[in-house]
Amino acid sequence: MKALICPEPGQLALIERPDPQRGEGEVLVRIRHVGICGTDFHIFGGKHPFLEYPRVMGHELSGTVEEAPEGSALKAGDAVYIVPYLSCGTCQACRIGISNACCNIKVLGVHTDGGMAELISVPAQNVIPAGGIALEDAAMIEFLAIGAHGVKRGGITARDRVLVTGAGPIGMSAIIFAKARGAHVTVMDTREDRLGFAQSDLGADAVLFADADAETNAARLTGNDWFDVVIDATGAAPPIERGFGFLAHGARYVLLSVVRQDIRFSDPEFHKREATLIASRNAQPDDFAEVVAQMQAGRVPTRALNTHRGSLSDGVQLFQDWSRPEAGVIKAILDL
């Protein structure tokens, strides 16, 4: 089968490798679409903290069942998406129901080879019927579930004023699901085009340009009350640290981003607000179900989000083209 591999940072190659053999309790899936994630660009750029090379990337996956275990509810030809978090089921995290933070987790395309390949074999519990969602849209379920999980972790309600920092795809997913809960959502970014998209296509209520005047403008926007929930999706330490300054008293700060560096903040300022700092990692089954439900209800602008398409065979060049900011990629999808 064909596979797109990243042998080292900055390098990609389309290779031939043997078809995977379906293991016991696994489903063999023929990949049809692969969403390209910021994680993949970080892997390509050598910036991901949890990775060893070489690696076949790809964790935003949809396809059709090639072969399923005897007795499975799945059958050959079924349209499915893949939950890419392979959890052990026995560790402390799994025992308390947070398999998304499994102590022994292996994420497809990160800790183990992923789905930028024609076939993949994964545990049956990680293969979910697409529920009538078009397969090209089903390849976007995972990244949307990340935002849905962060919104859930933040306990967002209709009374909250929410600031999403970073208007990339993960930030956009947080906007979509915060708005679905009725919150008033402000978005902050350094790119005017992303801010415009957040308002015109995602329903953001207000925007802030992330310049030296952002704090002054945020204070004016909120009547000096600041934000009940701040969700960081920037993927960089300096804006994460800056985000602490936008917290209202009693606020929750949700970190969707993960970075290599230590994060520093003023403890007196954080303490006097009795604020809460929340990590949000991956997503859980109910988050995936929430995405599917919102897609089925027509509340996710999938056509607007999917800005770039191309084939796996052209992936070496396309991946490099799409990694440039001037390409204007929101969500790119490789088709097989």
Side-chain angles (χ1 to χ4, degrees):
M1 68 172 185
K2 290 183 175 63
L4 189 64
I5 195 166
C6 184
E8 60 185 51
Q11 299 293 320
L12 288 171
L14 189 67
I15 64 169
E16 289 281 345
R17 57 165 45 181
D19 291 353
Q21 299 300 304
R22 185 179 66 82
E24 183 178 356
E26 292 186 341
V27 176
L28 185 64
V29 177
R30 183 166 295 278
I31 298 299
R32 302 297 184 183
H33 305 281
V34 183
I36 308 300
C37 177
T39 296
D40 300 316
F41 290 125
H42 288 156
I43 292 169
F44 178 64
K47 299 176 182 178
H48 197 283
F50 305 130
L51 187 114
E52 294 182 1
Y53 298 88
R55 180 63 68 228
V56 174
M57 299 177 290
H59 60 274
E60 300 179 4
L61 309 171
S62 67
T64 52
V65 173
E66 194 81 358
E67 183 182 332
E70 185 176 350
S72 170
L74 296 168
K75 63 182 185 303
D78 282 353
V80 296
Y81 67 88
I82 294 175
V83 176
Y85 320 129
L86 308 183
S87 56
C88 70
T90 58
C91 71
Q92 186 267 348
C94 289
R95 293 197 305 271
I96 64 171
I98 55 169
S99 59
N100 57 303
C102 169
C103 300
N104 306 300
I105 199 166
K106 292 183 178 180
V107 178
L108 295 175
V110 180
H111 306 94
T112 189
D113 281 349
M116 287 189 192
E118 293 178 305
L119 292 163
I120 192 170
S121 186
V122 293
Q125 65 265 27
N126 292 79
V127 182
I128 313 297
I133 302 298
L135 279 178
E136 59 264 33
D137 294 342
M140 294 191 282
I141 290 173
E142 192 273 343
F143 96 84
L144 290 162
I146 298 290
H149 184 64
V151 166
K152 180 183 72 178
R153 289 279 290 150
I156 289 172
T157 68
R159 66 161 295 278
D160 287 320
R161 298 157 304 175
V162 177
L163 174 66
V164 176
T165 60
I170 297 298
M172 290 179 185
S173 68
I175 296 166
I176 290 168
F177 292 97
K179 287 300 300 178
R181 292 185 174 217
H184 183 281
V185 179
T186 299
V187 185
M188 185 166 73
D189 201 278
T190 58
R191 287 178 55 174
E192 295 280 9
D193 59 331
R194 290 287 178 89
L195 294 176
F197 182 87
Q199 283 194 297
S200 63
D201 290 79
L202 306 181
D205 299 286
V207 296
L208 287 170
F209 191 72
D211 59 10
D213 297 323
E215 283 81 359
T216 299
N217 292 330
R220 182 168 57 248
L221 185 65
T222 62
N224 291 310
D225 285 337
W226 303 96
F227 295 95
D228 304 296
V229 183
V230 176
I231 299 178
D232 177 84
T234 64
I240 292 175
E241 294 178 346
R242 187 182 190 184
F244 285 91
F246 292 85
L247 297 174
H249 283 245
R252 290 93 73 196
Y253 192 7
V254 181
L255 299 186
L256 289 178
S257 297
V258 56
V259 296
R260 287 180 178 271
Q261 303 97 315
D262 291 344
I263 300 299
R264 300 177 182 273
F265 59 92
S266 167
D267 183 61
E269 290 297 321
F270 187 73
H271 198 87
K272 78 180 185 182
R273 287 167 172 76
E274 200 176 45
T276 303
L277 182 60
I278 302 169
S280 182
R281 187 181 186 190
N282 301 327
Q284 296 174 323
D286 62 320
D287 304 310
F288 284 87
E290 171 71 5
V291 173
V292 171
Q294 296 292 352
M295 280 185 164
Q296 290 170 332
R299 299 191 187 100
V300 180
T302 53
R303 296 282 72 79
L305 292 168
N306 178 199
T307 55
H308 293 65
R309 294 280 288 276
S311 71
L312 182 73
S313 297
D314 297 325
V316 172
Q317 185 59 51
L318 288 174
F319 202 92
Q320 296 179 71
D321 292 343
W322 291 341
S323 67
R324 298 186 185 83
E326 59 269 23
V329 172
I330 293 177
K331 178 54 61 176
I333 291 179
L334 290 174
D335 304 322
L336 286 81

